[in-house]
Amino acid sequence: MQGTTVLVEGESDRMAVEKLAFRAGHDLAAERVTVVPMGGATSIVHFLDRYGPAGAGHRLLGLCDAGESRGVARALVRAGVGSGSLAELGFQVCYADLEDELIRCLGIDAVLGVIAAQGELASFRILQRQPAQRERPVTAQLRRFFGGRSGNKLRYAQLLVEALPAGQAPPPLARLVASF
């Protein structure tokens, strides 16, 4: 039996998917599900060649940002995975990105609570006062905060998934995990 390969853009996406799958009761190893970070959606052709119909022949699922969805869809067609909507092909789309989905699902106050628990609320407040950030929505400021320091996206992906109430998850992540 061939396994399932879940293609995600980066390490933070991998961490979030694996953590959410564990919380939902999945044993990825036993279910032969591997979550593979591609180092960016533009690398998808390489991974489709490796795991798709012309490669290992794995069942493919995935998660991508809305801004990358058209390129992902074209690559899936070219690789022979199929045509149709990304959802029909097992690929879920985050509205902006993973962090945006987690922020919207948790709410700003809960996300600020996670940041405060890490002792970094003062750092976030400094970022908010920067001229380039002052007029931006808090969600955009939070996304900048998570992406602004090396390792932050990965660390906060795990922390934000852990902060989700039981049975609650951003829709694209919930649909992806439910399809394992």
Side-chain angles (χ1 to χ4, degrees), residues 102-116:
L102 289 166
I103 293 165
R104 286 190 296 120
C105 188
L106 280 166
I108 291 170
D109 290 340
V111 173
L112 291 174
V114 170
I115 293 170

Side-chain angles (χ1 to χ4, degrees), residues 38-109:
M38 300 182 291
T42 57
S43 300
I44 193 167
V45 171
H46 165 75
F47 290 92
L48 292 174
D49 288 346
R50 183 172 180 184
Y51 297 107
H58 291 186
R59 175 178 174 239
L60 295 173
L61 301 171
L63 182 72
C64 68
D65 299 345
E68 305 294 345
S69 63
R70 291 177 65 164
V72 168
R74 284 191 302 272
L76 291 170
V77 169
R78 282 194 299 268
V81 174
S83 60
S85 75
L86 285 175
E88 292 169 339
L89 298 175
F91 281 71
Q92 302 301 319
V93 179
C94 293
Y95 178 72
D97 56 23
L98 171 70
E99 293 75 23
D100 177 65
E101 293 289 345
L102 289 166
I103 293 165
R104 286 190 296 120
C105 188
L106 280 166
I108 291 170
D109 290 340

